Amino acid sequence: MRFITMDIKKCVVCRNCEYACSFQHTGDFNRADSNIRVAYHDDIKICLPQTCMHCEDAWCMEICPAAAITKNEETGAVEIDSGRCAGCKMCILACPFGNIHFDKSNLISRKCNLCKGEPQCVAACISGALQYVTAGDSCRNNREIFQRFMATLHTPL
Amino acid sequence: MEKKQHYKSMCRMCNNHCGINVYVENGRVVNITGLKEHRWNHGRLCVKGRLGVDLVNAPDRLKKPLKRVGSQWQEIDLEQAYDEIAEKIKKIQQTWGNRAMGIWKGEAVGFLTQEELARRFAHAIGSPNYFSNDSQCYVGRWIGYALVSGTWAEPDFANAKCTVIWGSNPPYAHPNMTQSILQGRENGGRLIVIDVRLSAMARQADDFIQILPGTDGALALGLARQLIRDDLISHEFIKGYTHGFDAYADHAKAFTPERVEKETGIPAERVVDIARKIGNARPKVCIYAGNGLEHHENGINNVRAIACLDGLLGSLDEEGGNFIPEKIPLRSLTLYDEKPLRHLGPIGADKFPVLYDFRQECHTMSAMDTILTQKPYPLKGMVLTGANPALTNPNSRKVIQALKALDLFVVRELFMTETAELAHYVLPAATYLEHSELHTYPVCQSIGISPEIVTFPECDYDYMFWKKLAHRLGASHYFPWEDENELNQWILKDTGITVETLFDHPEGFKYKSRHFQKYKKEKFNTPSGKFEFVSDYLKGHGYSHVPEYIAPTYMSDPNPEYPYVLVTGARKLFYCHGRNRNFKRCRTAIPHGEIEMHPHDARQLGVDTGDVVTVTSSVGSVDIPVTVVPHSHILPGVTQITHGWKESNVNLITHDDRNDPIDGFPLMKSVEVKIKPKRQEDGE
Ligand code: SF4
Ligand code: SF4
């Protein structure tokens, strides 16, 4: 099972991911409809893309009184069934990361569903900041980067 | 229902040519995604790439040939249109001479061959007047680098220990280049961004150097001085393979960090610091110069000064530096050897011989004057394909006036652009999804081909368009190939690669693996055969032989009437030059043009984001809404407007006649302007 990783040392806040997500779900390029949100903190020059982590024990899923939120067996995505969602916004309150937003036109909650296993934000990320990988891959990748970094600190005798 | 068909091709929504999957259902393109195996983009595709679906299916696409009758458009049969156009071309050439016809190539519809086909056609009908947007974009950098090293080398970002992105914003300009830049950084490389604006690229920079527009040459010379002084240079390269080091070093000497600070606005200690960082990473230093360096009065020499750094550092043709790609022996379609026409006086070649010598480009800015004044000779007809100079050339008012004055103006286009509106005939063009063309990727040393995926009956592709006209003009022997498949085979003939092989390699067929330091065996493609810190060729033309620095006019001779300096042409997501403004979805995201302004300037003018201001230069005025950007994004006194907006066309105020003396590039990026809030009562 894979999830979306975000590398803040690569994101350039170009917003391709946000628009690709909006397009996938609405057919328009409207950032407000995107499930991935990219924040840019100008003062400290931090680029921070953020999207659902599809928690194993998901707070949103736990709390949803309409049982509209389920885990997709195939992709591992935590998904909202828009037919069941009552628009009570409990999930929005419950998610500690703010990864669920409210769709004002349809009066229901919206979140990332991993696009059936082909997340469009990742496909549109031109910097490589977003990757769709397994937890194992992600950890291996980070380890390699860290080891390379350590290697640069070492000056040969 | 028909099954979905899947094709693999290349994107042409910008100049990156990313690999794409194209899905077709019932004869209609329904989706475009990134091609995983492609060498350039590795499956990633910017949102512009997906917009190819909007492009090919656009409801406002031109599908019928149109002829102007009075103030109306009338549909006309395609072959009839070709007949009439050919007749008119003949008449113009008989009356005014062959050179009275111009051919103008845009870049909107094709890949590699579109340019050579247009060049071929011009010469086939006996005119030296081939034009393209290149005389004001790209070629300035190409010539700057070629003067020094014989070519413009390709950046090997992924292996660089230090990358310098200078006057370019890859995330919007060359999206998937961002991947390799940041790969280099992940591999431990440092990223330095030198720019007027804190661009998207600059957000990830280890060092962001904010520079005053058009002063880059002073910084480059200042860096050179530091590198030489601190002995952070490659003696082996300089000694063995370069020309004119002493004169250049002598010239650079004057550019002390203090002087650089005065010229560029960059604190002296940062100049020292950056020089050390670059020098310590040598030779794996990858300096990439962007379009921000063109469009200045001293553009070419600024680029030359930057190009010279590669020689100092020994980073040219190095892994992790700027490497010189090896070419694939494709057959050329141009007729410059077979049928040279320089004696006919290509427009602009008298004033800007370097532009013609290096690129055989005529000068589009001079073309407008030629049309209007008939000097040095009449230019009466123009056939233009896939370009929109009414919006993208400087001084739009003059451009429109000139194009309207033509006896024959033919535009081949996808949409009724501002330029097409001025034409006598508008012919519908085929998009990049509707024909088969070759394209090379020098940085990957690979070559690809696009398949014909869908077609529309009257939308001829490039080759067919030129062939049909040539056949009516007695130039059929120059266009003997039945169709573009035959043409592609002919172009590939000497490579030993077949069209079939290319279709089997949608990832890009690698024609050769990379080799470095080829200069050890072969000469540089310069007059001396060496890397030229100084150019005797330029000297022969009466220019300075060293990359001299001349400060932009707004610095050297400030005019209190125009207290702001305006940069134009920064790239935006969704838009490529003048394109894509007709797609509704893009307008949802970025609805209109804007002038980017520092909060301090906005306060002084008493305006806020959304307020409309009138921006005036000595050329004209334009009304445009303000966007106040964060403090760090732009320097006070500096403003930016992106081109391509019909409603707020910045080229109404850019200069066509203040040119870089060497290549003739127009002044569009350090324009002196005044800004006035547009009050309600002033407006209509
Ligand atoms: S597409 Fe990638 S680089 Fe661009 S904003 Fe999203 S995460 Fe950042
Ligand atoms: S960067 Fe975007 S527009 Fe340019 S070729 Fe790639 S997908 Fe197409």
Side-chain angles (χ1 to χ4, degrees), chain B residues 103-105 115-116 118-120 122-123 127-135 139 142-143 332 334-337 339-342 345-349 352-364 537 663:
Chain B
I103 302 302
W104 188 313
K105 181 237 36 159
E115 174 171 339
E116 292 204 342
R119 289 177 181 273
R120 185 177 186 85
H123 274 229
S127 174
N129 289 320
Y130 161 82
F131 299 98
S132 83
N133 192 56
D134 282 10
S135 62
V139 153
W142 198 93
I143 295 176
S332 166
T334 64
L335 299 171
Y336 294 104
D337 296 333
K339 196 178 176 184
L341 295 176
R342 183 149 192 176
I347 288 170
F352 307 111
V354 177
L355 179 64
Y356 195 84
D357 280 1
F358 274 75
R359 300 292 304 194
Q360 290 82 42
E361 284 279 340
C362 294
H363 192 244
T364 57
Y537 160 83
D663 66 347

Side-chain angles (χ1 to χ4, degrees), chain A residues 6 10-18 36 38 47 49 121 124-130, chain B residues 44 178:
Chain A
M6 296 142 250
K10 283 194 175 166
C11 175
V12 290
V13 200
C14 65
R15 306 201 186 280
N16 272 291
C17 54
E18 293 181 345
I36 182 165
V38 187
C47 308
C121 53
C125 175
I126 47 90
S127 74
L130 302 181
Chain B
R44 292 176 188 257
T178 316

Side-chain angles (χ1 to χ4, degrees), chain A residues 47-123:
Chain A
C47 308
L48 199 66
Q50 201 191 323
T51 184
C52 176
M53 260 95 60
H54 305 280
C55 314
E56 296 304 331
D57 247 337
W59 283 277
C60 58
M61 193 156 74
E62 287 284 287
I63 210 157
C64 176
I69 304 185
T70 53
K71 190 120 184 147
N72 183 313
E73 305 258 308
E74 231 170 275
T75 60
V78 173
E79 293 173 352
I80 300 179
D81 178 344
S82 54
R84 289 194 72 110
C85 172
C88 75
K89 309 179 193 67
M90 290 297 279
C91 54
I92 295 179
L93 298 179
C95 174
F97 314 107
N99 280 329
I100 304 182
H101 71 273
F102 197 64
D103 171 349
K104 278 185 267 171
S105 335
N106 297 294
L107 303 178
I108 51 174
S109 290
R110 298 276 188 197
K111 68 177 293 304
C112 167
N113 64 2
L114 293 178
C115 303
K116 299 202 184 79
E118 279 182 59
Q120 294 303 299
C121 53
V122 178

Side-chain angles (χ1 to χ4, degrees), chain B residues 14 180 193 227 267 285 290 356 376 387 456 525 554 594 669:
Chain B
C14 86
S180 43
V193 173
L227 291 169
V285 179
Y356 195 84
F456 300 97
N525 185 22
Y554 78 90
E594 63 193 0
K669 283 191 169 51

Side-chain angles (χ1 to χ4, degrees), chain B residues 90 124 469-478:
Chain B
K90 265 192 217 156
L469 274 182
H471 276 244
R472 286 164 166 89
L473 290 165
S476 55
H477 53 294
Y478 287 115

